[in-house]
Amino acid sequence: MSKIRVRAHAKINLYLDVVGKRDDGYHNLATVFHSIGLHDDVIIRRRAEKGITVHCEHPGVPCDSRNIAYRAAQCISAAVGGIGGLAIDIHKRIPVAAGLAGGSANAAAVLHGINKLWALGFTQDALMRLGAQLGADVPFCLHGGAALGQGIGDRLTSLPALPEVPLLLLNPGIDISTAAVFKNLNFRLTTEKKEGIIIKTHVEKRDIVGIGKNLYNLLEVPVFSKHPEVAALKTQLTTQAGCYGALMSGSGATVFALMQDTAAAQRSESHFKNRVGFCTTTVTYPVGVSIDN
Ligand code: ATP
């Protein structure tokens, strides 16, 4: 086999609280992640020539060593003392800098794909440890499905993945830097809110109405105050027929709604289609990366 095609799934956060600030400047989180059907395609090929190349048409994605997929290839190659030349092609569907962990998903796909293509034999846990060196969301993207994330989001406890819940995703087309959002967070040390535990219980019970009522993201505070249009989109989503609840994902600016059924999601999609930068329907998904043959 000389090439492998991997689906790199985006994630949403059903809950995100900041529970502490660390000496290294990072924040400790309590978050509930879920993978979603929306994915990029990542194709990895062996090359006779040495070195790593990255190709991606998206204007917001660098194709050199700044690309997290490039760094993932470097990282796993270094861990085994070198694997020779390879080329990475990324077909982007996940909006960039949108709170959906598009870059982290690409890095996870590269680690997973190289491990398979070169038959390196890393276990899932070992790949997740490599992933943690690249970014806080990479371990979850490898884990996939649903999980509670603690620490900087990299300490994961598995939760049962939800069945396919229809989702509507909207992004007003503003790129948001995660680092800037955390910098603008007027941080007060909060104790972990009990809603975090409640939403975990609703996920375990697969109670979509309960999840919809308990969606929470502390990062909405700094993002909504700087970008009121994101808050307005969330309000509009909440008032759609068949919406169980809406929330901003991660550090934004994507907002998502849990919808009662596919028909309701599609009706809302046609309402928003020509009014926002990005609008799509998708579903909650059981895996983060998968080989696409
Ligand atoms: P998170 O939810 O993990 O904070 P995000 O979805 O907000 O991530 P990304 O889409 O991962 O953000 O992109 C963040 C930045 O990373 C962008 O500025 C982008 O240029 C850069 N980047 C590097 N590699 C990639 C990649 N493979 N895909 C997308 N962005 C990348």
Side-chain angles (χ1 to χ4, degrees):
M1 201 163 53
S2 65
K3 80 168 184 183
I4 195 161
R5 193 182 175 96
V6 189
R7 290 185 184 186
H9 288 270
K11 61 83 185 158
I12 51 174
N13 303 82
L14 300 172
Y15 179 87
L16 196 164
D17 195 16
V18 181
V19 295
K21 192 167 181 182
R22 300 163 23 134
D23 292 342
D24 62 6
Y26 282 95
H27 292 83
N28 281 325
L29 308 178
T31 186
V32 174
F33 293 109
H34 210 299
S35 302
I36 61 173
L38 177 69
H39 63 276
D40 291 341
D41 291 319
V42 177
I43 298 125
I44 304 158
R45 293 185 179 80
R46 293 173 185 271
R47 280 193 334 145
E49 305 82 29
K50 280 196 180 141
I52 301 163
T53 63
V54 175
H55 177 82
C56 180
E57 297 284 332
H58 194 294
V61 176
C63 286
D64 50 24
S65 60
R66 287 169 299 164
N67 195 303
I68 188 169
Y70 180 107
R71 285 187 276 120
Q74 247 181 350
C75 169
I76 191 166
S77 172
V80 294
I83 55 170
L86 65 105
I88 301 168
D89 260 306
I90 303 171
H91 297 274
K92 274 267 157 211
R93 287 194 203 86
I94 308 171
V96 172
L100 299 172
S104 303
N106 294 171
V110 165
L111 294 178
H112 185 71
I114 290 179
N115 190 38
K116 282 270 183 304
L117 189 58
W118 271 263
L120 298 179
F122 282 99
T123 61
Q124 167 91 339
D125 275 358
L127 280 188
M128 284 164 61
R129 278 194 296 276
L130 285 182
Q133 297 172 26
L134 299 160
D137 288 344
V138 182
F140 173 72
C141 291
L142 283 159
H143 177 286
L148 172 71
Q150 289 166 299
I152 57 169
D154 59 335
R155 259 183 31 228
L156 299 174
T157 309
S158 298
L159 294 171
L162 293 171
E164 291 194 354
V165 179
L167 301 169
L168 181 67
L169 263 53
L170 302 180
N171 187 294
I174 344 165
D175 289 2
I176 293 195
S177 141
T178 305
V181 171
F182 277 101
K183 215 171 137 211
N184 290 336
L185 187 67
N186 188 4
F187 187 75
R188 273 173 292 119
L189 189 69
T190 58
T191 49
E192 206 163 318
K193 290 184 184 58
K194 66 177 190 320
E195 294 96 289
I197 312 300
I198 291 171
I199 203 156
K200 202 167 116 319
T201 311
H202 289 303
V203 171
E204 281 158 354
K205 288 187 185 157
R206 302 179 152 198
D207 170 7
I208 315 301
V209 175
I211 296 169
K213 282 189 188 146
N214 288 284
L215 295 168
Y216 176 80
N217 183 352
L218 177 75
L219 300 181
E220 285 184 340
V221 178
V223 174
F224 288 2
S225 74
K226 198 155 177 240
H227 304 283
E229 65 273 39
V230 184
L233 269 188
K234 180 183 162 180
T235 307
Q236 287 174 48
L237 263 183
T238 313
T239 55
Q240 291 294 302
C243 173
Y244 284 137
L247 191 73
M248 186 181 84
S249 183
S251 52
T254 304
V255 286
F256 65 89
L258 301 183
M259 303 299 292
Q260 195 173 0
D261 51 45
T262 311
Q266 285 168 347
R267 269 195 306 276
S268 295
E269 185 185 20
S270 16
H271 170 79
F272 286 107
K273 199 79 204 172
N274 298 315
R275 302 175 197 209
V276 289
F278 174 85
C279 171
T280 194
T281 55
T282 185
V283 288
T284 48
Y285 206 71
V287 295
V289 287
S290 59
I291 306 294
D292 185 9
N293 289 315

